[in-house]
């Protein structure tokens, strides 16, 4: 690979790192062709971009990126694949599901919404991270709950203030 080709790869990787808030580093070494193909298919279905990268080039791209990857570059040893996603827990779910049939991929580290996780022991925690959409849904559900109580109190209280107050106090108790 020429110097120009390496520079182009570093530029491309830097752009990819800038474009995603969810970046996982995994070890998929030892997977046979069929398993690798199945993993790529699972990633595609989950809207996760998977590619094998050279550690030295990824390290240079991380340095060039405008994000603070903390100690994440320390895991760049051996075989490294990068998993990029818009959803914080999608790559973790793919890894966990895939490991029901195989020992790999192993989670080397992850950068999720500026938080850094180093080591395979964080896989379960990453699976449980809620996406922005899930958090917004939870908040909307919580906000709608008091409004539903008021509406049901209005209906059951017969439209009279005393009835409404009685119904609301019963719901609180």
């Amino acid at each position: 690979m020429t110097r120009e080709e390496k520079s182009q790869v570093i530029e491309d990787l830097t752009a990819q790192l800038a474009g995603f808030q969810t970046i996982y580093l995994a070890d998929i070494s030892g997977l046979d062709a069929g398993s690798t193909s199945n993993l790529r298919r699972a990633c595609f279905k989950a809207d996760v971009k998977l590619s094998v990268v050279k550690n030295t080039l990824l390290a240079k791209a991380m340095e060039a990126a405008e994000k603070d990857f903390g100690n994440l570059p320390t895991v760049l040893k051996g075989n490294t694949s990068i998993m990029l996603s818009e959803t914080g827990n999608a790559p973790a779910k793919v890894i966990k599901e895939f490991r029901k049939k195989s020992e790999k991929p192993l989670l080397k580290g992850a950068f999720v919404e500026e938080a850094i996780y180093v080591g395979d022991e964080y896989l379960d925690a990453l699976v449980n991270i809620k996406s922005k959409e899930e958090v917004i849904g939870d908040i909307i559900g919580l906000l709608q709950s008091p409004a539903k109580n008021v509406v049901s109190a209005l209906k059951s209280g017969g439209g009279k203030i005393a009835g409404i107050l009685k119904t609301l106090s019963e719901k609180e108790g």
Side-chain angles (χ1 to χ4, degrees), residues 135-147:
V135 171
I136 290 169
D138 289 349
I139 292 170
I140 289 171
L142 290 170
L143 292 173
Q144 286 179 339
S145 182

Side-chain angles (χ1 to χ4, degrees), residues 59 61 64 77-78 99 108 120 149 171:
K77 296 175 181 77
R99 290 217 326 228
K108 294 172 103 177
D120 195 60
N149 289 341
K171 286 191 179 215

Side-chain angles (χ1 to χ4, degrees), residues 30-133:
L31 291 180
D32 62 22
S35 296
T36 302
S37 179
N38 291 339
L39 177 61
R40 288 187 182 281
R41 195 172 299 111
C43 286
F44 180 77
K45 286 179 183 174
D47 202 21
V48 174
K49 184 178 179 186
L50 173 71
S51 56
V52 177
V53 293
K54 259 190 112 160
N55 291 330
T56 53
L57 301 180
L58 180 56
K60 289 182 180 183
M62 287 175 142
E63 285 175 24
E66 294 182 14
K67 295 178 182 172
D68 180 10
F69 289 102
N71 60 346
L72 203 53
T74 63
V75 302
L76 296 177
K77 296 175 181 77
N79 182 296
T80 303
S81 294
I82 188 168
M83 301 173 85
L84 305 168
S85 176
E86 296 295 331
T87 308
N89 62 3
K93 286 181 177 180
V94 169
I95 291 170
K96 187 159 179 124
E97 184 63 28
F98 203 79
R99 290 217 326 228
K100 289 179 180 177
K101 301 175 204 132
S102 173
E103 291 180 16
K104 299 273 176 111
L106 291 176
L107 176 67
K108 294 172 103 177
F111 175 91
V112 181
E113 299 285 336
E114 298 183 18
I116 296 166
Y117 304 86
V118 175
D120 195 60
E121 64 271 11
Y122 288 104
L123 184 61
D124 287 331
L126 289 164
V127 165
N128 294 322
I129 288 177
K130 289 190 176 192
S131 69
K132 286 180 187 176
E133 292 77 17

